[in-house]
Amino acid sequence: MNPMRRRLTASAAAIALAITLAACSSSSDAGQAPTSEQGVESSAAAHNDADTQFAQLMIIHHQGAVEMADVAIARAASPEVKALAQRIQAAQGPEIDLMTGWLNDWDEETSHDMGMHDMDMGGMDMGGMSQSEVMDELDGLDGTEFDRTFLERMVAHHRGAIEMSEQEKAEGLNPDAMALAGTIIDAQTSEITEMQNLLAGL
């Protein structure tokens, strides 16, 4: 074989080898991709009883805060109290939707499917008062008295949420639920400080 033909044959062999390796690599990658995605989905769906109870109870807890905030937006005398109520409403509404989505993804009952008597209500009361009692109390107030009572009850409400979130961080499994618990602790601790400062100024 002459030198030119030898070089052409070697080049052709090298090209064929490269194509074969590329095809094998693509085939291997294609086979591995679904496994990786399945792993991510499995991780996202992984949860335990603490995660489930956290989401179910926090949905109800947030619904109570939003209900109180709605009244304060309409009736608070102080612009600062109204603004705080608007922020509470804006933050906790989407979190309710988020946690409801988790429960659906986990094939667990949402809080809407459960009776209140079926749930551990730790952290749900406000200074010994139930949600309905607090709403009745607020309905009978106006002006500065309304603002003061709203802030006092919401401070207690936030403390309950922090207690529930700390339990989730200690006992939960799902990383998204535990991350939300951390967010709630940080945000509501800050809001408690804000509300205490507002109370001091009334």
Side-chain angles (χ1 to χ4, degrees):
M1 182 181 297
N2 63 44
M4 178 63 72
R5 179 168 295 182
R6 187 179 296 112
R7 284 196 296 271
L8 291 173
T9 301
S11 297
I15 292 169
L17 177 61
I19 292 172
T20 300
L21 290 174
C24 291
S25 175
S26 298
S27 175
S28 176
D29 290 345
Q32 291 175 357
T35 302
S36 175
E37 290 172 1
Q38 289 167 0
V40 171
E41 291 172 1
S42 176
S43 175
H47 68 288
N48 61 13
D49 289 345
D51 298 319
T52 300
Q53 187 177 60
F54 169 72
Q56 290 169 336
L57 289 177
M58 194 60 78
I59 286 170
I60 292 178
H61 201 268
H62 275 15
Q63 287 170 338
V66 169
E67 184 179 23
M68 293 169 65
D70 287 344
V71 174
I73 290 168
R75 298 179 55 190
S78 165
E80 290 81 9
V81 173
K82 283 183 181 285
L84 171 67
Q86 288 168 343
R87 294 201 308 274
I88 290 171
Q89 182 191 66
Q92 298 196 21
E95 288 176 354
I96 290 171
D97 294 338
L98 177 65
M99 291 182 286
T100 301
W102 291 344
L103 291 169
N104 289 330
D105 290 344
W106 299 342
D107 197 26
E108 300 282 1
E109 290 182 321
T110 69
S111 61
H112 302 291
D113 301 324
M114 302 182 67
M116 297 285 280
H117 62 280
D118 294 327
M119 307 182 76
D120 175 8
M121 300 306 289
M124 300 294 279
D125 67 329
M126 290 158 279
M129 299 181 70
S130 68
Q131 178 71 25
S132 60
E133 288 171 336
V134 168
M135 295 306 298
D136 288 344
E137 180 184 37
L138 292 174
D139 283 343
L141 302 175
D142 54 28
T144 300
E145 190 177 5
F146 174 92
D147 290 359
R148 181 180 294 108
T149 302
F150 168 78
L151 292 171
E152 289 172 347
R153 300 296 177 251
M154 191 62 81
V155 165
H157 199 268
H158 274 25
R159 286 176 176 154
I162 291 169
E163 177 186 340
M164 294 161 63
S165 297
E166 287 173 341
Q167 183 174 353
E168 166 62 13
K169 289 193 72 176
E171 301 176 7
L173 173 66
N174 184 268
D176 292 334
M178 295 175 71
L180 178 60
T183 297
I184 290 171
I185 290 170
D186 292 343
Q188 299 203 15
T189 298
S190 176
E191 287 175 353
I192 286 174
T193 300
E194 179 181 357
M195 288 188 284
Q196 289 172 332
N197 290 336
L198 289 172
L199 282 166
L202 292 177

